[in-house]
Amino acid sequence: MLFPGQGSQYVGMGAELFDARPDLLTGVADRVLGWSLREVCLTGPEELLTSTDRAQPSLYALAFALWMELAERVGHPPIAAAGHSLGEYTALAASGAFSFDEGLRLVAARATAMAEAVRQAPSGMAAVLGAAEDKAEEVAAARRAEGGRLWVANLNAPGQVVLGGGLEDIDWLVGHGRRLGIRRVVKLNVAGAFHTPLMASAVPRLSGALEQIEMKIPAFRVWANVTATPFDTDQARRLLGRQVVAPVLFGASLRAMHEAGAEVFVHVGPGDVTAGLARRAVRGCRVLVVSSISQAEEAAAVLGS
């Protein structure tokens, strides 16, 4: 099971889920968040929904609701799960490591802390397409040696690496990509340089929220973004705290899950981003997308067979 991160949101998402899961998506969510999840997801406006403090809780809640729709139809747990950045919290909630509402509180605290970090240090991200991981690391290190602020943030799949840094550093990367030997640089429409040291001020607030929950033994293994290995319950809080400043090793996680026996990868949540990453990272694997209740029904027919 794969759960998406920030960037997969769009106005109008989850309309059928709000009708199917009012207990979670209006009752619990609105009480925890203090604002209307339904209104933000269905009517936006886009600027509001894409803001970090709205996008992250919204994606977490809808992906979890879709997971419940799928899990109830399949009837048996997966052998593994992972989430991209924010999606890691959905994966952990799905595994029972903490409850839906505990996870929503964590995600809300994480989003608020990350949004504040961006206000303190405006920043951005860019995808370097066709560049090997070592090339991306080399470019970022060279920029830092010149006094810049640029780091590898996401190692998503072969040929798809994301760098994060100061706004001027991202502009430099876009402007000099070809000279640096990068086929294409695409500036991403995100609020800041997530998973880089520029998020350091978010860690204390998130760590405080993590200390308030009881971490349980998950029903199935969840691969951690920071290590590309399954979470150890005793280390989960530390790894989730590190995750906001450390690179997301998603490609390595996908390959490790495949080596551990995963033959089918199921994207659960809005969009289909993690499905595309699975296809690139694990050639020949079977990939399913569950972004609606009807797709949950279709996937359950496959997974239950």
Side-chain angles (χ1 to χ4, degrees):
M1 296 294 155
L2 306 176
F3 298 91
Q6 192 169 345
S8 294
Q9 70 280 347
Y10 60 90
V11 175
M13 66 180 185
E16 61 179 355
L17 288 170
F18 284 101
D19 293 332
R21 296 284 174 176
D23 52 334
L24 286 180
L25 301 181
T26 53
V28 175
D30 289 4
R31 173 172 51 79
V32 170
L33 297 172
W35 45 270
S36 172
L37 183 69
R38 183 185 186 111
E39 182 176 338
V40 169
C41 289
L42 299 187
T43 65
E46 184 177 357
E47 298 76 26
L48 178 62
L49 178 59
T50 56
S51 64
T52 298
D53 61 342
R54 294 296 191 267
Q56 290 192 19
S58 297
L59 287 166
Y60 166 87
L62 294 189
F64 185 87
L66 276 168
W67 154 255
M68 291 195 68
E69 292 290 328
L70 177 62
E72 290 175 0
R73 289 169 168 82
V74 174
H76 59 80
I79 67 167
H84 193 283
S85 186
L86 154 74
E88 188 159 87
Y89 287 78
T90 323
L92 287 165
S95 76
F98 43 71
S99 67
F100 169 77
D101 52 327
E102 286 175 323
L104 190 57
R105 289 188 183 92
L106 286 177
V107 168
R110 177 183 188 265
T112 300
M114 293 172 75
E116 178 58 32
V118 172
R119 282 191 285 271
Q120 293 178 18
S123 54
M125 304 179 85
V128 290
L129 305 179
E133 294 178 4
D134 56 353
K135 178 64 176 179
E137 292 279 10
E138 176 188 319
V139 168
R143 179 65 173 174
R144 293 198 304 274
E146 297 174 354
R149 301 175 299 161
L150 192 65
W151 295 269
V152 170
N154 301 159
L155 296 169
N156 287 332
Q160 206 215 71
V161 180
V162 175
L163 275 64
L167 295 178
E168 65 280 6
D169 301 285
I170 298 299
D171 289 341
W172 171 85
L173 181 64
V174 172
H176 295 83
R178 285 195 172 276
R179 179 180 64 80
L180 296 166
I182 299 170
R183 177 169 58 84
R184 187 181 176 204
V185 180
V186 179
K187 191 172 183 179
L188 302 182
N189 184 23
V190 296
F194 306 136
H195 308 291
T196 75
L198 294 178
M199 292 290 107
S201 65
V203 175
R205 180 169 184 167
L206 175 56
S207 297
L210 286 163
E211 289 300 324
Q212 301 302 310
I213 68 160
E214 178 185 358
M215 197 72 66
K216 304 177 185 68
I217 297 174
F220 46 84
R221 291 179 295 176
V222 177
W223 261 253
N225 286 179
V226 173
T227 62
T229 60
F231 272 99
D232 178 303
T233 304
D234 294 337
Q235 298 296 319
R237 291 183 182 84
R238 181 180 64 83
L239 291 178
L240 289 170
R242 282 184 56 200
Q243 190 229 49
V244 297
V245 295
V248 173
L249 307 182
F250 203 68
S253 296
L254 290 165
R255 292 189 292 272
M257 286 191 287
H258 179 61
E259 291 168 2
E263 298 177 351
V264 180
F265 291 90
V266 187
H267 168 99
V268 183
D272 62 358
V273 169
T274 68
L277 298 182
R279 292 187 185 100
R280 293 178 66 92
V282 183
R283 296 292 185 181
C285 68
R286 185 169 189 179
V287 179
L288 305 176
V289 173
V290 175
S291 59
S292 66
I293 294 177
S294 62
Q295 287 178 326
E297 294 168 349
E298 294 167 3
V302 174
L303 299 172
S305 61

